[in-house]
Amino acid sequence: MSSTHIPKAFDTTDVTFIASGKTKSIFKLNKEDQYVLILSNSSITAGDGAKKDELPMKGINSTSTTCNVFRVLQLAGINTHYIRQEQNNSFIAKRCSMIPLEVIVRRLATGSYLKRNQHITEGTRFNPCLIEFTFKDDVQHDPLVTEQDILEMNLNIGGLQVNSKVLSQIRHVANLAFEALERAWASIDVVLVDFKVEFGVTTDGEIILADVIDNDSWRIWPHGDKNQMKDKQVYRNIPLQSGAPTVGTLSDEQTKVLVDNYSWVANESAKLVDYMVTSNHSTSNTTTTTPSNQRHSNVINNILSPVPSYSSPLTRHINQSHQVGQPCLSMPPANGNSPMVGIIMGSQSDWETMKLAANTLTTLQIPFEAKIVSAHRTPDRMFEYARAAKSNGLKVIIAGAGGAAHLPGMVAALTSLPVFGVPVQSKALSGVDSLLSIVQMPAGIPVGTVAIGAAGATNAALLAAAVLAPFYPAIDANLEQYRKKQTDAVAETPSDNPAAAAHGHAISTPSSNDMVSHISTLLSVQPQSSSSSSSSSSSVSLTTSTSSSTVSTSQSSIKTVKPTIQTQSTTSSSPMQSLHSPLTGVNSPIRSTSPSIVVADKSPLSTFVLSTLRPSALVLPPGSTIGILGGGQLARMTAIAAAQLGYKTHVFCPENDASASHVATFTTKANYNNYSALELFASKVDVVTYEFENIQVEPVEYLSKKVAVFPDPKVLRICQDRVQEKKFIQSLGVGTANFEPVESLEMLQTAIQKIGYPSILKSNTMGYDGKGQVKITDPVDLESAWKKVCADTNTSKAILEQYIEFESEASVIVARGLDSIELPFSMVTNKHRNHILRQTIAPASLPEYVHKDAKEIASKIGKGIGLVGVLAVELFVVKRGDTYQLLVNELAPRPHNSGHWTIEGCVTSQFEQLVRCVCGLPLGSVDLMKRVTEKESLATDSPIIMNNLLGAEVDQWEKCLSQKGSHLHIYAKGDAREGRKMGHVTIIP
C-alpha cells in the first residue's frame, strides 16, 4: 500500500500526453509522474461510437459528477485513484495501469441483461447484487466474459497477476462501492439501478477504483420511475433516422433535455457528499501508523481540496493548522494515537457492562484503553495506574466496580483527573450496594457517579466526551451528532405494536400492507460510523497447526520467531469503522404508483446465475484461507469440512486451547475488539464467516471493510436484536408469537397487560440455551423476572413474548449462495432439557405439507435478509384441530446444533454447505444419505437421531462407539461442566 506524500499543489502546465478515449484525455504530470491529469470533453457516444454528439457543458458536468462520486466512495472507506479536482473539467488522480475489465454491478434486472435472459422479468431485484465482467475491446464491443475466461487470459497488469484472489477482491470492492452510492442516491429518493466501474494498479502495486464514474456509468431512476431516468440511457434511446448522419444527431430540443439531465445529476451528486458527511457515514480511522490510516488522512484532504463551487460541512471537524498531505485527524490527541480515556474495572466479569462505555467512545471516535485494575486483588497495579494516568496522557478515567466498589473512589484519591464511577450490577442487591459505595465519597474526593449497569456505562462515556468536547472540536461535533440522532429517533406520536394488539391472540401475522413499511424500516437502519484507538497491553498469538514457525508483530513490523508463535501488540487499535451496507428492503424500490411500473422481487433466480457469472461459479479456489470468528465446536466442524474441500482455515477467538484450534490451519488468540489483531487477521484470509451471533457487530463490520464477510454484518445486526428480528420476520408475512419490547419494570407491567399470562420474558440481546429467559405466570413474578433477565445478561432491554402452547419444537436450516440459489435441509424435531438441546430427530415426524411450509418459510427469510451462508430457523409447531401451523421463534445466521445430523445424514452437511456459500461454490445436494427418500423415511418411521453429549456424558464415549450405526464427535473442549456441550453422536438407521 502506498503512503506517498500528496503535494499541496500540482504543476499542470508541464504534462505529457498519455492516452485519450471517447470522452476524456489523460496526461502525465512530469514533475510528479505518479499522478495524472484527467481532462473530460463534451462528447457523448453510443453503440461503441456508432453515433456521436457534442453536448454543451458535458465535460464540466461529468467532471463534477465524477469528483463527487469519488468523494462519496472515499468517505465510505473505499480506496480510489482520485486526489482532487483541478479545474471545472479536470481532476488529478494516481497514475494507474488499467485492468482491461469493466465490472458491472446490477441491483435490478433491466437493459442488456434482459436481452440475454428473456425469462427474467424487468425490475427483478438481485440480492446480493449480480456482478458481471466485460473485457475492454471496442472491436468486439466489450464482450461479456466469465472469471474462467479472465483467468485463461493470464493478465499481468502493472506487475500484478490477475488471479482468482484479485478478481474476488475486485468483486468485493465493486459491490461495496455500489452499495455506498445506492444509499447516497436513496437519500434523495433516486434509485441506483446498476453501474459499471474499472480498476487500476498503482505504481506501488495497489488495486484501486479508477477511471471515471459519471452519468455515463450508471442507470438512475428518480423516485424509482424508469420514465424519469436521467442517465446516458436517454441518449441511447433516441433512435437514428434511416440515412441520417451518425455525428451531430441531436435536435435542439433533444440537446436541451440531455444538457438538463447531466446538469441535474452534477448538482444532485454534490448532495450525495453532503449526505455522507452530515449523516456521519464516513469511515474514519484515527490511528496514524498504518498505510490504511495514512490513506484516511488523504481522504479528508481530498474532500477539503479546492473545488469550484463546493464547500463541505466537514471543514468544521478539521484543525485548520494542519497542512495538506499531513494527517488531518478529526481528533488530534497530544501523543498521536495515545488513549484519552482510561476504562478500568475490578474483574473480567465487569467487562460485559464496561464494554458499553467502550462502544460509545468508539462511536464518538475517542481513543481509549481498557484495563482490569482491582482495588482489592491488585492494589499495587491500581496505585501505579492511577498515579501515572495523567503523565500517560489520559484526560478522563471511567471506573466500573460491583459489590464493595472501592475502585472509583480509590483511583479518585490518587489522581486529579476527573473520575466517573459506574456501579456494576451485583447479584446480592442488584447493584444498589455498588451505587451507594461509589456515590458516598468524602468531601474533596469527587467521583461522578452514574446509573447502575448498562445505562451508567454509556452515560459515563458521554460525560467523558462532554469533558473533552470544549478542547477537541471534532469530539464536540461527534457528540452533537450523537445527540441529534437520539432526538431524531424519537417519534412524535405514540403507537401500539399492531401485531401485539391483534385481539389478544397468541399468533400474529402482519397484513401485506404492513410488510413493506416494516421491512424498509428494519433493513435500512444505519449504525453510526465510528472510530477510535485504544491502547492496551493485550497480547495476540497467531498459531499454526502445521508449522513451528512464528509470526510476531509490533505495530506494522512482522518477524519470524522460533520455536513458539507469539504476537505482542503494545497498541490495540480499535477503529470501529461501521460504515454499513444495509439492505434497502426486500421489495424493489420501484414505486407501484408510477405510470411505468416494473414488477419486482420475483421468485428465486436459479436459472441465470451459473450461465452469467462464471461456468464453475468459483470465487475462491481450494487453497484459499477462510477466516472464522469463534473457536467453538461449530468452527471446529466448519474447519474440518473446509479441509475436505482443500481450503485452509484461520480461527480468531479469545480462548486458550479452543476446540477449533486443534483442527484449524491457523489460530489467532485475541479479543474480538482488538483491532490491531483484526487488521492482521484480515490480511491473512480471503473471506470471513462466524460461528455464533453473540459477537459484537462492530468488529465484524470493521472486517467487512477489509475482506468479504458472510453472512453480511447487517444480517448479524438483525439477528442479535430479538425485537427487530421478530419485526423483520413479520414483515415477510411469516407468523411469530405476539411480543412487546421492554426496557424497564414499568414497561413490563404495561406489556403484560397486552400480552397476558403466561408469557416469556427474554433479554433482547445475548442469551442462549435458556440464559436470560423467565416464564411469567402471575403478577407476583414481574419484578423478580425483570431482575433475573437483567442480571443474567447485563442488559436493560428485553422482549415479552406470548407463551405458545406448542406440540413440538422444530428447526429448518437454509443455505443460500452468492448466486442467490437457496436450498433448505429437511425440517427436524428438537427436544430440549433445561432449555438446552438434547436430541434432534431428522426428518421431523410431521405431514408432508408441514415440511413444505417450513422450507418455504426458511427460503423466504433467507432471501429477504440477503443471506449468503447458512441460517437456522427455530420453529414452534402448533396444532389447531387436525392441522399444524408453524411460528418462527428465533433465527441463527450460522451452523446450528440441530443441523449436526447432516454430517452423516445428508449428501452435503451444513458445514460443507457454509464453506460452499462463502467461497462461491455451487451448493451441494441436501438429499438424505439413506437409501430412501424423505417421504419414504417419514412413512417407515426410521429417522436419523442426533444426541448431544452434555457434561460428563462424554465419558460414555466407548458405549457410544459400540452402538450400531453411531457416529461419534467429541469436541475436545476441556472441562466437562454440567450442561456443557462436549460432543454429539449421530445414529443412522
Side-chain angles (χ1 to χ4, degrees), residues 495-502 508-523 586-587 726-734 738-739:
S495 63
D496 291 331
N497 185 303
S508 174
T509 304
S511 68
S512 59
N513 292 333
D514 294 332
M515 180 164 55
V516 175
S517 62
H518 281 161
I519 190 65
S520 61
T521 302
L522 284 169
L523 294 185
V586 175
N587 296 317
K726 278 190 162 50
K727 287 181 179 179
F728 165 70
I729 294 166
Q730 289 187 353
S731 74
L732 299 176
V734 177
N738 274 346
F739 67 93

Side-chain angles (χ1 to χ4, degrees), residues 567-593:
T567 299
Q568 185 69 32
S569 175
T570 58
T571 300
S572 178
S573 165
S574 62
M576 283 193 180
Q577 51 185 51
S578 57
L579 173 69
H580 204 33
S581 301
L583 294 167
T584 54
V586 175
N587 296 317
S588 168
I590 300 172
R591 295 182 173 183
S592 59
T593 56

